[in-house]
Amino acid sequence: MTKKSGPACIPVNGAEAAEKFRDDNEVVVVGFVAADDAVFNGAGDSFDDVNFGVLDADAAKALDVAEGKIALLKNFDDKRADFTGATKEELVAFVGTEQLALVNEFSDKTAPKIFGGDLKQHNLLFAAKSAANYDTIIADFTEAAKEFKGKLLFVLVDCDVEDNKRVMEFFGITEENCPSMRVINMEKNMAKYAPESDDMTAAGIKAFTNGVLDGSIARHLKVNYILILAKF
């Protein structure tokens, strides 16, 4: 996906064009709406890295979008989300949330989207992809993330990646500690929270995250997370 250089919304006419528009992009927003629809165009102007397409009848039929409706299509997770709001602000918030995967892997490329989004509480999983139990852990982490969609961002930090050692250091995580989790609240003086047990099942991850959100898990240690942001 490259940064848009043309109009906020582009016409997508015909079934073949619709399928190509969907398949050529990681995330697209499509609407069976008028070309000058203020809500759709206004939201499209708010995103440089997400293409918005105005569908004709044949394109809408191919993508199963009813007249007057808007949908976000993506090539990961649940593949599709249908917009049920009415205002530009609601559509912008909808796209901002739905364009992100349930679990976003931390990297130089993804850092701006992770840190620049509306969700300021992050649950970071520190896990090595080379570990024998990685597939089980990431599956449970992803399953837990579904419960907190739109509330808290789930982020994977691969302990095998050398560049991630600086992030691990900020959180006091060593390779021997992996897998482990930390929740950071970027709006609450960078408050950091650590789980009270080593339970990395989906139930354990949900319990830890809910404990942070409801205040039953106390703040852990201060961490200058802003120093991480400054590097991107």
Side-chain angles (χ1 to χ4, degrees):
M1 176 67 218
T2 56
K3 187 173 181 178
K4 290 189 296 189
S5 58
C9 304
I10 61 175
V12 180
N13 299 321
E16 185 177 344
E19 291 167 357
K20 179 174 173 56
F21 186 64
R22 175 196 62 200
D23 297 342
D24 285 353
N25 295 278
E26 186 176 53
V27 176
V28 293
V29 181
V30 293
F32 191 6
V33 297
D36 61 352
D37 185 273
V39 170
F40 198 68
N41 280 273
D45 269 330
S46 301
F47 293 91
D48 286 333
D49 57 350
V50 178
N51 282 324
F52 281 58
V54 177
L55 308 176
D56 70 0
D58 290 336
K61 182 178 180 180
L63 298 180
D64 193 25
V65 179
E67 188 171 2
K69 298 299 183 180
I70 296 168
L72 181 145
L73 309 178
K74 47 193 171 182
N75 64 7
F76 51 85
D77 293 341
D78 48 4
K79 305 296 185 182
R80 177 185 181 125
D82 291 290
F83 178 59
T84 58
T87 68
K88 183 195 82 170
E89 291 74 21
E90 288 174 324
L91 182 53
V92 168
F94 167 80
V95 175
T97 297
E98 292 292 344
Q99 70 170 322
L100 296 171
L102 287 170
V103 176
N104 298 268
E105 183 170 356
F106 179 86
S107 69
D108 288 356
K109 180 180 178 181
T110 62
K113 185 173 288 188
I114 290 171
F115 296 140
D118 292 333
L119 296 178
K120 301 304 182 183
Q121 286 199 92
H122 300 164
N123 186 351
L124 292 92
L125 169 66
F126 297 86
K129 288 186 176 181
S130 62
N133 61 349
Y134 171 77
D135 288 345
T136 299
I137 291 170
I138 195 63
D140 282 336
F141 194 65
T142 302
E143 179 62 30
K146 295 176 183 178
E147 186 170 310
F148 304 97
K149 190 172 183 178
K151 301 177 184 177
L152 187 144
L153 191 63
F154 277 52
V155 179
L156 167 67
V157 180
D158 184 1
C159 297
D160 288 333
V161 176
E162 186 62 32
D163 285 348
N164 289 343
K165 297 297 189 289
R166 57 188 174 179
V167 184
M168 294 167 63
E169 182 181 348
F170 280 123
F171 283 88
I173 301 288
T174 65
E175 290 185 29
E176 290 72 25
N177 298 140
C178 296
S180 188
M181 291 181 293
R182 295 291 186 271
V183 166
I184 186 79
N185 188 329
M186 296 167 62
E187 291 184 320
K188 197 174 181 181
N189 198 26
M190 300 298 168
K192 185 179 74 168
Y193 303 85
E196 297 174 337
S197 75
D198 295 327
D199 186 355
M200 298 295 291
T201 64
I205 296 166
K206 290 178 184 179
F208 165 55
T209 309
N210 276 319
V212 173
L213 295 179
D214 66 23
S216 60
I217 292 181
R219 182 172 178 170
H220 185 51
L221 297 171
K222 291 182 179 180
V223 61
N224 198 349
Y225 199 45
I226 202 70
L227 292 180
I228 302 173
L229 311 190
K231 295 179 179 293
F232 300 97

